Amino acid sequence: MIMFFLRWTLFQGIIIISLAVLAYIADLFKTEIAIPASSSMEVSGSMLMTFLFITAVIGLLSLLMYFQTKKSHTFLKHPLWDKMYVLMPVVFAVSFVLIFFLIDSVSDFIENHRWIIYIMIYYMLFLINIIVLSFIHKAKRNTIPNENKIMFSFVWTTLILFVIYFLL
């Protein structure tokens, strides 16, 4: 049992390290990933790189939760998950406002410590993924296993962000 637990924890550790490496790589290629505000509506290589980065982060975060379902049979079973579809959008809105004001007030500090921006991006993408997961959990309750709920949340989160990013 301990070996089983350690294996999934090791995989989660590898994912956290992968997220750090992904942030480092994204920072190296920041001119390729960043999109200027004056860019036209046509899809460019940098837009695709940015969306690929977002998809990779959501995938790694989903894998983190998937491995948690392998470690813990109580994941997504708490009664609070029945209310998460209401709570998580509120947490997201509050977090979005706080991060917006935080970035504005400490922009010089963040400019010198770019890793903080990646933590904020990861946090916001995690919240978006959890919001989608909470709606899937509410809709599918006990009809599909938790592993499939996490897989569906990855797919739906990616599709929603694709539509927002490329079509709006």
Side-chain angles (χ1 to χ4, degrees), residues 22-61:
L22 187 61
Y24 178 75
I25 292 170
D27 196 46
L28 288 176
F29 295 103
K30 63 184 166 244
T31 57
E32 298 291 324
I33 291 178
I35 299 172
S38 63
S39 68
S40 65
M41 289 302 294
E42 62 188 51
V43 176
S44 66
S46 61
M47 288 179 76
L48 291 175
M49 288 292 292
T50 303
F51 189 72
L52 182 62
F53 171 77
I54 291 170
T55 303
V57 170
I58 294 169
L60 288 171
L61 293 172

Side-chain angles (χ1 to χ4, degrees), residues 8 12 32-33 44 51 63 72 74 95-96 107 114 117 135 147 156 167:
W8 300 119
Q12 287 177 319
E32 298 291 324
I33 291 178
S44 66
F51 189 72
L63 272 175
S72 171
T74 60
S95 295
F96 186 78
S107 61
R114 291 186 53 86
I117 291 196
F135 278 101
E147 293 88 354
W156 278 106
L167 302 178

Side-chain angles (χ1 to χ4, degrees), residues 1-13 64 66-74:
M1 181 67 174
I2 300 249
M3 205 52 161
F4 181 75
F5 181 76
L6 289 176
R7 177 176 66 170
W8 300 119
T9 304
L10 175 67
F11 290 159
Q12 287 177 319
L64 201 63
Y66 178 81
F67 292 142
Q68 186 62 34
T69 62
K70 295 294 187 184
K71 277 177 34 179
S72 171
H73 298 291
T74 60

Side-chain angles (χ1 to χ4, degrees), residues 135-147:
F135 278 101
I136 291 171
H137 180 73
K138 180 69 175 173
K140 296 296 182 183
R141 190 84 181 123
N142 294 323
T143 59
I144 60 174
N146 290 337
E147 293 88 354

